[in-house]
Amino acid sequence: GRAYVANAKINNRNYPDRIFKSPVHQYDVFTEDLIVDTALNDGDEIVKLVSYADRILIFKHNAVMILNVSQVQEEIESEFKGAGIDNPGAVIVTPNGVTWVNRNGAYLFNGEAIKSLNQRQESTS
């Protein structure tokens, strides 16, 4: 029952690494006091947010964080260094999960975990 935005400008202040949440069922209202605690001031801005089931993937340039939004208080479940993106167009939601590519390879979040798709398959011919 909430909306989430990131890398926003509120009251003429830029917040490149902060996530704001709306009041319940007020999807277009955002204030500076309704925030989600993440790794603030880590020098890495948020590039994109993607929701999948009861999780929000927080894409930064250098990392991806998994935010669980199934409870009243949101919680960062995990962070994956080196899996971030530079371009919001590098992410797509598929029937199998959220997939993305970066300079280190390709990844899939299936609703439970992030998996690297970089491992080579051996030929069985």
Side-chain angles (χ1 to χ4, degrees), residues 73-108:
Q73 186 65 35
E74 300 87 353
E75 179 182 1
I76 297 287
E77 289 183 337
S78 54
E79 180 176 4
F80 298 88
K81 301 277 186 190
I85 60 172
D86 290 324
N87 184 325
V91 180
I92 188 167
V93 178
T94 72
N96 296 322
V98 179
T99 58
W100 68 96
V101 295
N102 68 14
R103 60 191 163 277
N104 297 321
Y107 302 89
L108 168 70

Side-chain angles (χ1 to χ4, degrees), residues 1-3 21-31 33-34:
R2 293 185 187 269
K21 59 184 177 180
S22 71
V24 175
H25 302 297
Q26 296 182 30
Y27 305 109
D28 59 352
V29 175
F30 297 96
T31 62
D33 60 333
L34 282 176

Side-chain angles (χ1 to χ4, degrees), residues 24 37 56 65-66 69 75-76 90 99 108 120:
V24 175
D37 288 326
I56 295 177
M65 290 185 266
I66 308 295
V69 294
E75 179 182 1
I76 297 287
T99 58
L108 168 70
R120 292 182 178 219

